[in-house]
Amino acid sequence: LLLCGCETERNNMESATVGTVMVINGVTDADVWLLPDTQANRKTTVWGIATAAQVKTGESRSTSLCEAGDDGAYLLRAIDTNGFYYSADGVALHDGWTVKITETEPMSAALEVTDEYGAPQHTYDVFVARL
């Protein structure tokens, strides 16, 4: 068991990991959170310790994957060093998969998810806003 940003409640409970995912940052240096997609997590802005902290532009980082939320899905949250916020909901992930955040045009981003073999699984629109 690892203490991670898998739960937003501030009760310092440990959360079981179910595997690892690779996070690839195709935007500005950022902190990235992969959270269970639950109503409670959708309503909060306090996510705990970043799942992948200080991920540099172009960097790949292997990180723990906690148990999924409602319908087996995750939330992606990220804040970059320029003060931009990134958000995607309902993200399907499994052990060994990869998520890549990419800028598609100014103020627009996508989250590309591939399986453990590199086969594309889904591309999610990412909400981007300046904080």
Side-chain angles (χ1 to χ4, degrees):
L1 295 174
L2 297 173
L3 184 64
C4 65
C6 294
E7 295 183 32
T8 60
E9 295 152 7
R10 304 282 97 207
N11 58 11
N12 292 326
M13 292 183 63
E14 292 184 354
S15 182
T17 60
V18 296
T20 59
V21 294
M22 182 66 64
V23 174
I24 301 173
N25 183 10
V27 296
T28 304
D29 298 1
D31 289 332
V32 179
W33 290 262
L34 294 172
L35 306 164
D37 189 347
T38 64
Q39 283 302 316
N41 284 346
R42 284 180 179 232
K43 292 180 181 182
T44 188
T45 57
V46 179
W47 309 309
I49 298 169
T51 309
Q54 301 176 359
V55 183
K56 303 289 183 201
T57 303
E59 181 181 354
S60 300
R61 173 99 46 96
S62 180
T63 188
S64 296
L65 184 65
C66 57
E67 291 184 32
D70 302 339
D71 299 323
Y74 294 86
L75 302 172
L76 168 99
R77 301 292 187 258
I79 298 176
D80 74 18
T81 55
N82 290 330
F84 283 91
Y85 164 75
Y86 303 83
S87 173
D89 299 350
V91 178
L93 292 175
H94 296 281
D95 181 32
W97 286 21
T98 298
V99 296
K100 181 178 182 181
I101 307 165
T102 59
E103 186 176 47
T104 55
E105 57 186 65
M107 296 295 296
S108 254
L111 182 68
E112 301 167 359
V113 177
T114 57
D115 67 16
E116 63 271 27
Y117 305 107
Q121 295 301 304
H122 197 80
T123 300
Y124 299 88
D125 290 328
V126 175
F127 172 81
V128 180
R130 186 162 192 111
L131 296 174

